[in-house]
């Protein structure tokens, strides 16, 4: 046997908190050492937090990160540490992005996996395949590496690479395997969206089986702005079988023993000898440590249970909300509670994320607000244990109308008066935010954000949009599932089954202005997430009138979405980093 004990440090890093991230890494290193690990790996850019964005153009930030890396390296005695860092090389020619910032940079930056051993930095693997799609902008920040190192650690040949490098059928993993790698450790900052785990695990299983080696994959957890990372670090054996999995949305040190004798020699003439390998990077071998004495009985591998798909989405929303609020330094949150399902789900998520004692809700009735809305709001807040404050807005609304009466003379009431109510409520919420240091959590869902069915400086006013990427039909599923998770009624059934209404005029229903949500949401997915054409949507059986209305509403509402607060990304394509359309745009699909 040629065993190696691998520890995967699945951690929640905070962007910019170099000292705090280093402290967390060192604490996990100590735990790994106590468990006799030969190697402990941490996620992509774990030292800086991910993604650090234009902090990478600040020279001092990069130098401070280097100082913290050297501090971590001092702990690399009797254990090899792999940690994600930006590697700053003074004096090298600028890469494309850094050339715009010569006064700050004066060098080149790589997305690195630092390999620490013997109390120092042995070398830094430089990420080769830089994603520049979806939420990723790595070509803006990083230069591409050109070396595929293999390290002998405890007598086992070990390749190291970073995130995107593992996703390609022919990539750094292939070069490293052909150079003798028996284990490949890949460090990742892979954001969550629905269905992402299935994609990751299938890819890693295939990669391990094709290459005939062990694959150890470590991922971040936690929220960063609109992104949320779910962890689920994984280890696959040379047959492509899963042998270890960390939990989702929890910090974890996943340990696994693997036996390199299960890995055969690579065949340089076999199926891995693919065209284009020479353009990826040069293999290079490093010796770090010879095989040590056996430590006795092998560890039993841990495979964490998979979450129910709705539980997974709910936990992503909780994680993203908690980290945005707490990492930003807010004391708590305030929510405008209407008695509707969107504000109910937002309140439940906030209570689970922050604790009910840190959540306050404002119920702000007008003359159009029904008694049921109050009853349902009271029942919800009682069930959650959050504070409910009633602030009637009718007197303020009447004052607004009186003030504007002269200017509006001869004009019939319309959405202007409806929006006034939303903006009054937004003002009250922002006043509480200023006074008490609370963040305002807005309650609009993805269907509303897509179609512009929300009021600028009204219900869109706030600091974080919890369910901004959650379609209305999924909001309904999540509200009901929250009750299933609790084993009792938390969100009152009367809220879940009630026809959606903004209650801004008598007998108002959302369907007065929008197609039914079970019709609307599939159109939105086709148009916004899948970029389907008008004809393709009609061919799929979507009603022409609903498609025409939806496309028109989506296209004309871009200016509103640009002014909306960030919110947790849970779909494949969100409004924000994923989808970037011009505000002034006369193209209309036909």
């Amino acid at each position: 046997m040629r065993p190696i004990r691998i520890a995967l440090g699945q951690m929640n890093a905070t962007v910019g908190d170099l000292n705090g991230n280093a402290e967390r890494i060192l604490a996990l290193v100590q735990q790994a050492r106590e468990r006799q690990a030969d190697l402990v790996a941490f996620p992509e850019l774990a030292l800086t937090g991910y993604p650090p964005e234009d902090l990478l153009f600040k020279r001092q930030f990069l130098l401070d990160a280097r100082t913290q890396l050297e501090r971590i390296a001092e702990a690399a005695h009797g254990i090899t540490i792999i940690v994600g860092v930006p590697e700053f090389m003074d004096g090298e020619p600028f890469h494309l992005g850094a050339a715009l910032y010569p006064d700050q940079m004066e060098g080149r930056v790589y997305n690195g996996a630092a390999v620490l051993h013997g109390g120092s930095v042995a070398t830094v693997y430089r990420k080769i395949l830089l994603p520049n799609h979806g939420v990723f902008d790595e070509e803006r920040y990083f230069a591409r590496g050109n070396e595929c190192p293999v390290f002998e650690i405890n007598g086992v040949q070990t390749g190291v690479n970073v995130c995107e490098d593992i996703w390609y059928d022919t990539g750094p993993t292939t070069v490293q395997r052909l150079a003798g790698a028996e284990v490949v450790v890949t460090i990742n900052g892979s954001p969550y969206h629905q269905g992402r785990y299935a994609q990751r695990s299938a890819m890693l299983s295939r990669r391990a089986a094709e290459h005939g080696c062990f694959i150890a994959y470590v991922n971040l957890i936690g929220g960063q702005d609109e992104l949320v990372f779910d962890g689920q670090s994984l280890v696959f054996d040379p047959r492509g079988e899963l042998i270890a999995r960390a939990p989702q949305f929890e910090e974890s040190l996943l340990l696994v023993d693997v036996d390199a004798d299960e890995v055969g020699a690579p065949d340089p003439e076999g199926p891995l000898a693919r065209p284009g390998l020479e353009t990826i990077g040069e293999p290079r071998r490093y010796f770090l440590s010879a095989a040590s004495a056996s430590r006795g009985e092998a560890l039993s591998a841990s495979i964490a249970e998979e979450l129910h798909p709705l539980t997974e989405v709910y936990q992503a929303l909780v994680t993203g909300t908690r980290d945005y609020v707490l990492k930003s330094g807010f004391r708590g949150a305030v929510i405008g509670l209407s008695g509707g399902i969107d504000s109910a789900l937002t309140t439940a998520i906030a209570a689970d994320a922050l604790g009910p004692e840190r959540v306050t809700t404002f119920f702000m009735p007008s003359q159009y607000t029904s008694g049921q809305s109050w009853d349902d709001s009271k029942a919800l807040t009682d069930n959650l244990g959050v504070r409910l404050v009633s602030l009637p807005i009718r007197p303020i609304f009447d004052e607004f109308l009186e003030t504007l009466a002269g200017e509006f003379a001869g004009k019939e009431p319309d959405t202007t008066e409806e929006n006034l109510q939303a903006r009054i409520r937004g003002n009250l919420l922002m006043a509480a935010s200023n006074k008490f240091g609370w963040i305002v959590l807005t309650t609009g869902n993805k269907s509303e954000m897509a179609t512009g069915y929300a009021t600028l400086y009204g219900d869109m006013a706030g600091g974080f949009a919890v369910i901004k990427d959650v379609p209305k039909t999924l909001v309904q599923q999540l509200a009901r599932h929250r009750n299933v998770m609790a084993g009792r009624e938390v969100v009152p059934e009367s809220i879940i089954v009630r026809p959606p209404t903004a209650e801004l005029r008598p007998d108002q229903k959302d369907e007065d202005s929008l197609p039914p949500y079970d019709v609307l949401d599939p159109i939105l997915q086709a148009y916004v997430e899948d970029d389907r054409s008008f004809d393709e949507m009609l061919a799929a059986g979507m009603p022409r009138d609903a498609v025409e209305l939806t496309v028109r509403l989506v296209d004309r509402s871009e200016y509103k979405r640009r002014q909306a607060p960030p919110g947790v990304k849970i779909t494949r394509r969100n409004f924000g980093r994923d989808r970037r359309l011009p505000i002034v745009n006369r193209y209309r699909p036909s």
Side-chain angles (χ1 to χ4, degrees):
M1 290 183 63
R2 288 187 299 123
I4 183 172
R5 180 166 292 178
I6 299 169
L8 302 180
Q10 179 172 293
M11 60 175 284
N12 187 344
T14 299
V15 168
D17 186 8
L18 300 176
N19 183 70
N21 294 336
E23 288 288 341
R24 188 67 192 130
I25 290 167
L26 288 168
L28 289 169
V29 167
Q30 182 57 30
Q31 291 180 35
R33 181 184 286 108
E34 291 170 357
R35 299 292 300 277
Q36 297 183 293
D38 300 299
L39 176 159
V40 58
F42 296 94
E44 181 177 15
L45 295 176
L47 182 54
T48 59
Y50 184 88
E53 301 188 270
D54 283 11
L55 287 173
L56 293 166
F57 292 139
K58 296 182 181 294
R59 176 184 175 85
Q60 191 59 50
F61 176 75
L62 297 167
L63 295 176
D64 290 344
R66 181 187 295 171
T67 299
Q68 292 293 340
L69 179 65
E70 292 168 352
R71 175 182 164 215
I72 295 168
E74 293 174 2
H77 291 285
I79 189 170
T80 298
I81 303 170
I82 301 170
V83 60
V85 295
E87 185 192 26
F88 178 44
M89 301 302 295
D90 301 88
E92 287 198 4
F94 294 126
H95 63 81
L96 180 62
L100 302 175
Y101 296 85
D103 294 338
Q104 295 101 310
M105 294 295 303
E106 300 178 1
R108 184 179 286 231
V109 184
Y110 298 91
N111 187 341
V115 181
L116 316 179
H117 185 83
S120 64
V121 179
T123 191
V124 179
Y125 168 81
R126 297 169 170 178
K127 187 174 182 178
I128 293 173
L129 301 174
L130 303 177
N132 213 57
H133 56 83
V135 302
F136 304 106
D137 291 304
E138 294 204 17
E139 290 183 7
R140 174 177 172 85
Y141 302 110
F142 298 115
R144 173 180 165 167
N146 58 11
E147 184 180 291
C148 299
V150 176
F151 305 88
E152 184 171 337
I153 301 171
N154 201 45
V156 175
Q157 301 303 313
T158 306
V160 175
N161 57 47
V162 181
C163 205
E164 190 85 355
D165 292 329
I166 197 75
W167 281 87
Y168 285 74
D169 291 336
T170 302
T173 299
T174 313
V175 176
Q176 290 166 333
R177 176 66 179 123
L178 290 172
E182 298 158 310
V183 175
V184 173
V185 176
T186 177
I187 67 171
N188 301 268
S190 180
Y192 168 81
H193 63 72
Q194 289 174 286
R196 189 59 167 166
Y197 172 72
Q199 293 175 330
R200 282 194 211 121
S201 60
M203 179 275 294
L204 292 167
S205 173
R206 185 173 66 252
R207 196 72 68 244
E210 287 175 348
H211 289 70
C213 65
F214 289 95
I215 301 285
Y217 171 103
V218 60
N219 193 26
L220 280 167
I221 69 149
Q224 172 57 34
D225 295 346
E226 65 198 55
L227 301 181
V228 64
F229 302 90
D230 61 321
Q232 276 199 320
S233 300
L234 302 162
V235 183
F236 287 86
D237 71 14
R239 296 172 296 279
E241 298 294 326
L242 177 69
I243 59 174
R245 178 171 60 213
Q248 278 186 288
F249 307 109
E250 295 178 26
E251 282 202 329
S252 172
L253 186 68
L254 180 67
L255 286 106
V256 61
D257 286 343
V258 303
D259 180 5
D261 280 346
E262 295 182 30
V263 180
D267 182 0
E269 306 299 326
L272 294 183
R274 297 165 177 163
L277 279 175
E278 66 281 356
T279 68
I280 294 170
E282 291 294 323
R284 184 174 176 183
R285 293 177 178 83
Y286 294 82
F287 175 82
L288 297 184
S289 60
S292 60
S294 173
R295 58 176 63 84
E297 187 174 351
L299 289 171
S300 296
S302 170
I303 300 180
E305 184 178 354
E306 288 189 64
L307 298 178
H308 184 283
L310 289 176
T311 304
E312 177 186 273
V313 173
Y314 191 85
Q315 289 302 327
L317 294 166
V318 167
T319 300
T321 301
R322 180 198 65 221
D323 280 5
Y324 189 88
V325 174
L326 298 185
K327 289 179 179 180
S328 299
F330 289 98
R331 297 174 185 170
V334 61
I335 300 162
L337 189 58
S338 68
I341 195 168
D342 296 319
S343 62
L345 180 63
T346 301
T347 302
I349 292 167
D352 291 338
L354 308 175
E357 70 283 356
R358 300 179 76 164
V359 178
T360 298
T361 59
F362 282 4
F363 181 78
M364 296 170 283
S366 73
Q367 60 267 46
Y368 306 117
T369 304
S370 68
Q372 181 185 346
S373 295
W374 167 257
D375 293 341
D376 286 343
S377 296
K378 183 69 167 59
L380 173 77
T381 53
D382 286 347
N383 292 344
L384 289 169
V386 305
R387 182 170 174 246
L388 173 64
V389 179
S390 180
L391 297 175
I393 67 165
R394 182 167 186 173
I396 307 172
F397 183 45
D398 289 343
E399 289 285 344
F400 268 71
L401 294 180
E402 183 178 342
T403 300
L404 292 165
E407 187 66 21
F408 287 0
K411 298 288 185 180
E412 290 297 317
D414 55 18
T415 55
T416 305
E417 286 74 15
E418 295 178 27
N419 291 340
L420 271 177
Q421 297 165 67
R423 290 180 177 128
I424 290 167
R425 291 173 174 135
N427 269 308
L428 295 177
L429 291 166
M430 288 307 303
S433 173
N434 291 159
K435 185 64 68 177
F436 302 113
W438 299 335
I439 188 171
V440 177
L441 300 180
T442 66
T443 61
N445 61 61
K446 188 171 190 175
S447 307
E448 294 172 344
M449 293 299 104
T451 57
Y453 195 64
T455 304
L456 269 178
Y457 324 120
D459 51 309
M460 290 177 65
F464 195 66
V466 175
I467 58 171
K468 177 184 179 181
D469 198 36
V470 184
K472 183 73 168 192
T473 48
L474 182 54
V475 169
Q476 294 163 335
Q477 294 175 49
L478 289 171
R480 184 162 275 123
H481 189 69
R482 177 62 178 81
N483 294 346
V484 172
M485 291 165 62
R488 62 183 179 90
E489 186 175 87
V490 176
V491 180
E493 183 68 14
S494 54
I495 290 179
I496 297 172
V497 301
R498 184 182 184 187
T501 172
E503 291 194 315
L504 297 173
R505 64 174 185 263
D507 301 319
Q508 185 179 26
K509 300 291 185 293
D510 288 7
E511 290 184 16
D512 299 341
S513 305
L514 300 173
Y517 286 110
D518 59 352
V519 175
L520 174 65
D521 283 352
I523 297 173
L524 291 174
Q525 179 170 336
Y527 187 57
V528 172
E529 296 185 31
D530 301 332
D531 280 327
R532 296 291 179 240
S533 70
F534 190 85
D535 288 342
E536 286 174 319
M537 289 186 280
L538 295 184
M542 298 176 182
R544 175 180 286 273
D545 58 345
V547 171
E548 289 176 344
L549 174 60
T550 301
V551 168
R552 184 166 67 250
L553 292 173
V554 170
D555 287 349
R556 78 181 190 189
S557 299
E558 185 64 31
Y559 79 100
K560 280 191 177 183
R561 288 189 291 271
R562 288 289 187 94
Q563 299 178 71
V568 183
K569 169 182 162 65
I570 59 100
T571 66
R572 186 177 57 81
R573 195 176 194 191
N574 74 335
F575 291 120
R577 298 171 68 98
D578 275 331
R579 188 176 187 270
R580 310 176 198 183
L581 292 177
I583 296 174
V584 177
N585 171 20
R586 289 191 177 181
Y587 175 75
R588 296 292 179 264
S590 57

